[in-house]
mmCIF file of all heavy atoms in Angstrom:
data_model
loop_
_atom_site.group_PDB
_atom_site.id
_atom_site.type_symbol
_atom_site.label_atom_id
_atom_site.label_comp_id
_atom_site.label_asym_id
_atom_site.label_seq_id
_atom_site.Cartn_x
_atom_site.Cartn_y
_atom_site.Cartn_z
ATOM 1 N N VAL A 56 14.034 -4.901 10.122
ATOM 2 C CA VAL A 56 14.226 -3.457 9.559
ATOM 3 C C VAL A 56 13.104 -3.241 8.558
ATOM 4 O O VAL A 56 12.802 -4.073 7.690
ATOM 5 C CB VAL A 56 15.603 -3.483 8.895
ATOM 6 C CG1 VAL A 56 15.839 -2.040 8.344
ATOM 7 C CG2 VAL A 56 16.772 -3.898 9.780
ATOM 8 N N THR A 57 12.586 -2.086 8.730
ATOM 9 C CA THR A 57 11.493 -1.668 7.798
ATOM 10 C C THR A 57 11.762 -0.419 7.217
ATOM 11 O O THR A 57 12.256 0.515 7.904
ATOM 12 C CB THR A 57 10.008 -1.671 8.590
ATOM 13 O OG1 THR A 57 9.039 -1.557 7.496
ATOM 14 C CG2 THR A 57 9.961 -0.582 9.613
ATOM 15 N N GLN A 58 11.392 -0.240 5.893
ATOM 16 C CA GLN A 58 11.420 0.982 5.264
ATOM 17 C C GLN A 58 10.069 1.737 5.454
ATOM 18 O O GLN A 58 9.957 2.905 5.035
ATOM 19 C CB GLN A 58 11.641 0.773 3.708
ATOM 20 C CG GLN A 58 12.953 0.080 3.355
ATOM 21 C CD GLN A 58 12.955 -0.234 1.833
ATOM 22 O OE1 GLN A 58 13.389 0.524 1.073
ATOM 23 N NE2 GLN A 58 12.555 -1.437 1.513
ATOM 24 N N ASN A 59 9.095 1.050 6.105
ATOM 25 C CA ASN A 59 7.833 1.668 6.377
ATOM 26 C C ASN A 59 7.843 2.662 7.514
ATOM 27 O O ASN A 59 8.500 2.315 8.506
ATOM 28 C CB ASN A 59 6.809 0.521 6.491
ATOM 29 C CG ASN A 59 6.656 -0.362 5.319
ATOM 30 O OD1 ASN A 59 7.035 0.085 4.176
ATOM 31 N ND2 ASN A 59 6.231 -1.551 5.457
ATOM 32 N N ILE A 60 6.972 3.702 7.405
ATOM 33 C CA ILE A 60 6.841 4.620 8.475
ATOM 34 C C ILE A 60 5.630 4.427 9.310
ATOM 35 O O ILE A 60 5.267 5.127 10.228
ATOM 36 C CB ILE A 60 7.024 6.048 8.001
ATOM 37 C CG1 ILE A 60 5.927 6.420 6.910
ATOM 38 C CG2 ILE A 60 8.377 6.252 7.268
ATOM 39 C CD1 ILE A 60 5.876 7.924 6.596
ATOM 40 N N ASP A 61 4.858 3.325 8.999
ATOM 41 C CA ASP A 61 3.695 3.093 9.817
ATOM 42 C C ASP A 61 4.096 2.224 11.030
ATOM 43 O O ASP A 61 5.253 1.798 11.146
ATOM 44 C CB ASP A 61 2.648 2.274 8.979
ATOM 45 C CG ASP A 61 3.238 0.937 8.369
ATOM 46 O OD1 ASP A 61 3.543 0.109 9.202
ATOM 47 O OD2 ASP A 61 3.205 0.684 7.172
ATOM 48 N N ASP A 62 3.073 1.992 11.890
ATOM 49 C CA ASP A 62 3.349 1.258 13.060
ATOM 50 C C ASP A 62 2.762 -0.075 13.107
ATOM 51 O O ASP A 62 2.454 -0.738 14.122
ATOM 52 C CB ASP A 62 2.753 1.964 14.320
ATOM 53 C CG ASP A 62 1.205 2.090 14.358
ATOM 54 O OD1 ASP A 62 0.594 1.992 13.221
ATOM 55 O OD2 ASP A 62 0.711 2.290 15.357
ATOM 56 N N LEU A 63 2.466 -0.685 11.946
ATOM 57 C CA LEU A 63 1.785 -1.964 11.825
ATOM 58 C C LEU A 63 2.660 -3.166 12.403
ATOM 59 O O LEU A 63 2.094 -4.126 12.903
ATOM 60 C CB LEU A 63 1.289 -2.211 10.367
ATOM 61 C CG LEU A 63 0.226 -1.238 9.886
ATOM 62 C CD1 LEU A 63 -0.094 -1.498 8.347
ATOM 63 C CD2 LEU A 63 -1.040 -1.246 10.751
ATOM 64 N N HIS A 64 3.924 -3.103 12.195
ATOM 65 C CA HIS A 64 4.698 -4.139 12.897
ATOM 66 C C HIS A 64 4.577 -4.119 14.276
ATOM 67 O O HIS A 64 4.463 -5.243 14.954
ATOM 68 C CB HIS A 64 6.210 -3.867 12.446
ATOM 69 C CG HIS A 64 6.585 -4.469 11.120
ATOM 70 N ND1 HIS A 64 6.465 -5.732 10.714
ATOM 71 C CD2 HIS A 64 7.209 -3.765 10.152
ATOM 72 C CE1 HIS A 64 6.908 -5.779 9.490
ATOM 73 N NE2 HIS A 64 7.361 -4.698 9.002
ATOM 74 N N GLU A 65 4.630 -2.990 14.917
ATOM 75 C CA GLU A 65 4.439 -2.940 16.484
ATOM 76 C C GLU A 65 3.019 -3.461 16.742
ATOM 77 O O GLU A 65 2.841 -4.167 17.803
ATOM 78 C CB GLU A 65 4.680 -1.537 16.897
ATOM 79 C CG GLU A 65 6.022 -1.115 16.982
ATOM 80 C CD GLU A 65 6.652 -0.623 15.608
ATOM 81 O OE1 GLU A 65 5.914 -0.636 14.628
ATOM 82 O OE2 GLU A 65 7.755 -0.113 15.622
ATOM 83 N N ARG A 66 1.967 -3.006 16.103
ATOM 84 C CA ARG A 66 0.658 -3.485 16.281
ATOM 85 C C ARG A 66 0.478 -5.043 16.028
ATOM 86 O O ARG A 66 -0.412 -5.583 16.612
ATOM 87 C CB ARG A 66 -0.422 -2.703 15.473
ATOM 88 C CG ARG A 66 -0.609 -1.283 16.143
ATOM 89 C CD ARG A 66 -1.902 -0.734 15.432
ATOM 90 N NE ARG A 66 -1.638 0.302 14.382
ATOM 91 C CZ ARG A 66 -2.613 0.693 13.547
ATOM 92 N NH1 ARG A 66 -3.799 0.181 13.578
ATOM 93 N NH2 ARG A 66 -2.352 1.578 12.708
ATOM 94 N N GLY A 67 1.357 -5.572 15.167
ATOM 95 C CA GLY A 67 1.340 -6.991 14.888
ATOM 96 C C GLY A 67 2.099 -7.769 15.989
ATOM 97 O O GLY A 67 2.165 -8.997 15.773
ATOM 98 N N GLY A 68 2.780 -7.082 16.950
ATOM 99 C CA GLY A 68 3.385 -7.855 18.088
ATOM 100 C C GLY A 68 4.948 -7.749 18.092
ATOM 101 O O GLY A 68 5.536 -8.127 19.043
ATOM 102 N N ALA A 69 5.527 -7.030 17.104
ATOM 103 C CA ALA A 69 6.949 -6.872 17.155
ATOM 104 C C ALA A 69 7.308 -5.735 18.088
ATOM 105 O O ALA A 69 6.567 -4.676 18.225
ATOM 106 C CB ALA A 69 7.477 -6.616 15.752
ATOM 107 N N ARG A 70 8.460 -5.800 18.791
ATOM 108 C CA ARG A 70 8.863 -4.859 19.765
ATOM 109 C C ARG A 70 10.243 -4.199 19.513
ATOM 110 O O ARG A 70 10.530 -3.226 20.094
ATOM 111 C CB ARG A 70 8.875 -5.570 21.098
ATOM 112 C CG ARG A 70 7.499 -5.892 21.677
ATOM 113 C CD ARG A 70 6.605 -4.751 21.918
ATOM 114 N NE ARG A 70 5.297 -5.092 22.325
ATOM 115 C CZ ARG A 70 4.223 -5.172 21.478
ATOM 116 N NH1 ARG A 70 4.345 -4.787 20.101
ATOM 117 N NH2 ARG A 70 2.997 -5.428 21.830
ATOM 118 N N GLN A 71 10.992 -4.917 18.647
ATOM 119 C CA GLN A 71 12.325 -4.313 18.376
ATOM 120 C C GLN A 71 12.443 -4.018 16.881
ATOM 121 O O GLN A 71 13.105 -4.712 16.154
ATOM 122 C CB GLN A 71 13.379 -5.227 18.779
ATOM 123 C CG GLN A 71 13.254 -5.671 20.292
ATOM 124 C CD GLN A 71 13.510 -4.493 21.198
ATOM 125 O OE1 GLN A 71 14.436 -3.637 20.853
ATOM 126 N NE2 GLN A 71 12.910 -4.482 22.310
ATOM 127 N N VAL A 72 11.750 -3.030 16.346
ATOM 128 C CA VAL A 72 11.691 -2.690 14.913
ATOM 129 C C VAL A 72 12.628 -1.566 14.639
ATOM 130 O O VAL A 72 12.553 -0.509 15.342
ATOM 131 C CB VAL A 72 10.208 -2.418 14.610
ATOM 132 C CG1 VAL A 72 10.202 -2.152 13.013
ATOM 133 C CG2 VAL A 72 9.282 -3.513 15.005
ATOM 134 N N VAL A 73 13.507 -1.637 13.779
ATOM 135 C CA VAL A 73 14.347 -0.518 13.242
ATOM 136 C C VAL A 73 13.590 0.050 12.131
ATOM 137 O O VAL A 73 13.403 -0.366 10.984
ATOM 138 C CB VAL A 73 15.667 -1.079 12.824
ATOM 139 C CG1 VAL A 73 16.509 0.070 12.102
ATOM 140 C CG2 VAL A 73 16.389 -1.792 13.943
ATOM 141 N N HIS A 74 13.114 1.297 12.407
ATOM 142 C CA HIS A 74 12.439 2.079 11.295
ATOM 143 C C HIS A 74 13.520 3.020 10.499
ATOM 144 O O HIS A 74 13.814 4.144 11.006
ATOM 145 C CB HIS A 74 11.367 2.991 11.928
ATOM 146 C CG HIS A 74 10.066 2.249 12.262
ATOM 147 N ND1 HIS A 74 9.100 2.099 11.414
ATOM 148 C CD2 HIS A 74 9.801 1.642 13.448
ATOM 149 C CE1 HIS A 74 8.155 1.461 12.065
ATOM 150 N NE2 HIS A 74 8.531 1.150 13.279
ATOM 151 N N MET A 75 14.106 2.407 9.505
ATOM 152 C CA MET A 75 15.288 3.170 8.890
ATOM 153 C C MET A 75 14.739 4.469 8.200
ATOM 154 O O MET A 75 15.622 5.325 7.986
ATOM 155 C CB MET A 75 15.947 2.269 7.902
ATOM 156 C CG MET A 75 15.162 1.767 6.758
ATOM 157 S SD MET A 75 16.179 0.727 5.694
ATOM 158 C CE MET A 75 17.308 1.848 4.977
ATOM 159 N N HIS A 76 13.565 4.489 7.889
ATOM 160 C CA HIS A 76 13.007 5.741 7.224
ATOM 161 C C HIS A 76 12.076 6.612 8.183
ATOM 162 O O HIS A 76 11.473 7.489 7.730
ATOM 163 C CB HIS A 76 12.160 5.441 6.025
ATOM 164 C CG HIS A 76 13.099 4.972 4.886
ATOM 165 N ND1 HIS A 76 12.497 4.252 3.826
ATOM 166 C CD2 HIS A 76 14.398 4.934 4.769
ATOM 167 C CE1 HIS A 76 13.523 3.857 3.039
ATOM 168 N NE2 HIS A 76 14.596 4.320 3.526
ATOM 169 N N GLY A 77 12.207 6.343 9.484
ATOM 170 C CA GLY A 77 11.461 7.026 10.535
ATOM 171 C C GLY A 77 10.171 6.560 10.794
ATOM 172 O O GLY A 77 9.694 5.471 10.321
ATOM 173 N N GLU A 78 9.364 7.403 11.518
ATOM 174 C CA GLU A 78 8.026 6.915 11.971
ATOM 175 C C GLU A 78 7.024 7.992 11.904
ATOM 176 O O GLU A 78 7.288 9.206 12.307
ATOM 177 C CB GLU A 78 8.045 6.515 13.542
ATOM 178 C CG GLU A 78 9.044 5.225 13.660
ATOM 179 C CD GLU A 78 9.121 4.967 15.195
ATOM 180 O OE1 GLU A 78 8.103 4.536 15.780
ATOM 181 O OE2 GLU A 78 10.169 5.072 15.719
ATOM 182 N N LEU A 79 5.930 7.773 11.240
ATOM 183 C CA LEU A 79 4.845 8.773 10.975
ATOM 184 C C LEU A 79 4.191 9.071 12.235
ATOM 185 O O LEU A 79 3.731 10.315 12.311
ATOM 186 C CB LEU A 79 3.859 8.107 10.049
ATOM 187 C CG LEU A 79 2.732 9.033 9.527
ATOM 188 C CD1 LEU A 79 3.300 10.185 8.710
ATOM 189 C CD2 LEU A 79 1.751 8.184 8.629
#
């Protein structure tokens, strides 16, 4: 779960990220 609205988790290889504050 991330509070971040960036996509760095996905670019780091994660595929199932919960963006609780949305996505930029």
Side-chain angles (χ1 to χ4, degrees):
V56 181
T57 186
Q58 299 172 86
N59 300 336
I60 59 176
D61 61 61
D62 67 337
L63 294 178
H64 280 304
E65 287 84 355
R66 284 197 255 167
R70 293 292 175 264
Q71 303 296 323
V72 184
V73 175
H74 283 270
M75 63 180 293
H76 291 164
E78 299 179 64
L79 186 58

